[in-house]
Amino acid sequence: MEFKSVSDRQAEAESRKAKGNEALKAGDMPLAIALYTVSISAIKSISETSAALKQNAAIYSSNRSAAFAKLQQWHCSLGDAQEALRLSPQWHKAHLRIAAAYLGQGHAEHAYKTYLQAADLPAGYHEAIKECVHALWQIPRLESPLAQKRVARFDQDRMRPKGWCRIFAISDVHIDHGSAVMTWAEGISDKEFKNDILMVAGDLGDTFNAIKRGLMIFKKKFRRVFYTPGNHDMWIRPNTDDSTKKKFKDSIDKLLAMLDMCDKIGAEMMPAEVMQDVYVVPLLSWWSCTFCEGDPRPDNVRYDSFCKWPMGEEGAHKYFLQWNDYFVRRIQKNQETRGRK
């Protein structure tokens, strides 16, 4: 039996990687995958012995992930990308491969957050920001498995008779603006509204933790709680938990975290038919200077500098219009099918 030295194994792995890169460039994905597999196998037993070997092994897995991605074999691509990340946690390429695989699988939210993580790593910013745009604009199409799971709640009460419960609405609670507000919220009856619906229409709190605290209180009082954020809710202010602990990269990152949080506590941010022909429709929106015909451009003035929009200040309203359009079309179709306006 022939035993190869560490240097021989490294040389073989690098040689096969180089040929794999040529095959990848030439579009021969099966050959590229086979060659990268040989590279991985050549140093597998020694890859944990030094930082340099671990980085090489990460590169081989990353390259094979890219080849699988070209074939749209996303599960294999993701597995290799995750192995690359395990071997080299601070390497931005591993994060980018994971994000690409997530996006290929339709998990736009996971992809976007992973791209943001890559942007924070050495040499990762420009490539990650360039690539994350695809995930960013995929999110409001609401086609991901996560979005579809949320959308599925749209119909859960549609057969309930009109008038079976009451619907209340409130806005600008600012739950974190003094103890009196919290005392008021906690003092709402635990029994009187148990079958009712509450709409919380913006500016519930300045930070993620305040928003969560407010929604948890309201969820104890009402059967269903619908929430749509205002500008205060989307803030990422310096020297708050949002910027120092949770470290939200932008306001979309915070929005995605709020959607996840609502899933966990039972609140809702998606529209729903809450009884026959009665809809609660939280709409996401942002200002747009384009509606002002006299002086449509605000020079260098920003409407709200604490909100950070990755699509730009003037792109936010277009982003949310696309998000809202899904439900507007669904409700219109429902009503047309039923012969109602």
Side-chain angles (χ1 to χ4, degrees):
M1 182 180 294
E2 181 183 359
F3 291 94
K4 294 183 179 180
S5 66
V6 171
S7 60
D8 286 343
R9 292 185 189 185
Q10 287 180 275
E12 180 185 0
E14 283 296 297
S15 173
R16 298 305 175 106
K17 182 199 78 171
K19 292 178 180 178
N21 290 348
E22 291 174 5
L24 184 68
K25 187 175 181 180
D28 190 344
M29 297 308 127
L31 178 58
I33 289 168
L35 289 164
Y36 292 139
T37 300
V38 174
S39 293
I40 292 168
S41 299
I43 64 167
K44 187 173 182 61
S45 62
I46 58 172
S47 62
E48 305 286 344
T49 61
S50 75
L53 285 171
K54 286 182 76 171
Q55 184 59 36
N56 284 350
I59 291 170
Y60 306 153
S61 289
S62 173
N63 287 6
R64 192 169 70 173
S65 173
F68 277 126
K70 291 287 187 180
L71 296 174
Q72 297 187 1
Q73 294 183 13
W74 301 115
H75 181 74
C76 295
S77 179
L78 179 59
D80 274 344
Q82 290 172 332
E83 174 64 6
L85 181 64
R86 184 191 72 79
L87 291 162
S88 185
Q90 295 302 306
W91 187 36
H92 73 281
K93 280 285 187 183
H95 290 267
L96 293 177
R97 298 286 188 228
I98 290 174
Y102 277 148
L103 191 58
Q105 292 178 327
H107 297 291
E109 300 90 348
H110 297 332
Y112 184 70
K113 289 186 279 190
T114 306
Y115 280 126
L116 293 182
Q117 292 170 2
D120 272 351
L121 297 173
Y125 180 79
H126 293 292
E127 190 173 358
I129 293 302
K130 178 182 177 181
E131 293 298 323
C132 81
V133 172
H134 303 295
L136 174 66
W137 285 94
Q138 186 73 19
I139 292 169
R141 295 174 67 175
L142 303 179
E143 295 174 346
S144 72
L146 187 57
Q148 285 298 299
K149 184 178 178 180
R150 291 165 178 153
V151 168
R153 300 187 70 178
F154 183 90
D155 288 328
Q156 73 177 43
D157 283 340
R158 67 184 179 87
M159 298 306 295
R160 293 183 182 270
K162 189 179 293 186
W164 82 275
C165 75
R166 297 174 295 178
I167 301 176
F168 295 87
I170 194 169
S171 69
D172 297 89
V173 174
H174 296 289
I175 199 78
D176 47 356
H177 285 199
S179 59
V181 184
M182 185 71 72
T183 301
W184 164 80
E186 291 176 336
I188 296 173
S189 171
D190 291 329
K191 298 179 180 179
E192 184 177 349
F193 309 101
K194 272 298 184 181
N195 291 323
D196 295 325
I197 294 168
L198 177 66
M199 297 186 293
V200 183
D203 288 353
L204 176 56
D206 292 356
T207 65
F208 178 88
N209 288 336
I211 295 164
K212 180 179 180 180
R213 189 161 60 246
L215 289 175
M216 288 178 70
I217 292 172
F218 291 139
K219 193 65 184 70
K220 292 178 182 177
K221 315 292 184 177
F222 293 83
R223 194 180 73 85
R224 294 183 78 172
V225 174
F226 291 86
Y227 164 65
T228 189
N231 65 307
H232 278 248
D233 306 279
M234 303 306 297
W235 278 359
I236 305 175
R237 292 194 305 168
N239 303 316
T240 65
D241 280 357
D242 287 356
S243 57
T244 61
K245 291 184 179 180
K246 296 189 179 299
K247 297 184 178 180
F248 295 122
K249 305 299 188 300
D250 57 44
S251 294
I252 296 299
D253 190 21
K254 186 176 182 180
L255 177 65
L256 296 178
M258 288 193 288
L259 283 159
D260 291 340
M261 175 264 290
C262 284
D263 289 343
K264 292 176 182 177
I265 68 173
E268 301 170 67
M269 293 178 66
M270 301 279 190
E273 185 173 8
V274 295
M275 59 190 91
Q276 291 179 17
D277 299 326
V278 178
Y279 301 89
V280 172
V281 189
L283 295 176
L284 297 173
S285 63
W286 195 247
W287 78 282
S288 173
C289 62
T290 58
F291 294 110
C292 178
E293 296 181 358
D295 182 19
R297 288 290 172 268
D299 300 319
N300 294 321
V301 178
R302 290 184 62 187
Y303 171 66
D304 193 329
S305 60
F306 288 143
C307 294
K308 300 179 181 180
W309 301 114
M311 70 293 288
E313 188 78 4
E314 294 183 30
H317 79 282
K318 296 177 182 178
Y319 187 82
F320 293 132
L321 283 174
Q322 183 176 334
W323 189 301
N324 297 335
D325 187 57
Y326 177 95
F327 291 103
V328 171
R329 285 185 285 106
R330 181 165 181 173
I331 292 169
Q332 287 176 335
K333 184 177 180 180
N334 275 5
Q335 296 306 92
E336 288 172 6
T337 301
R338 299 169 189 174
R340 301 181 180 91
K341 293 183 179 180

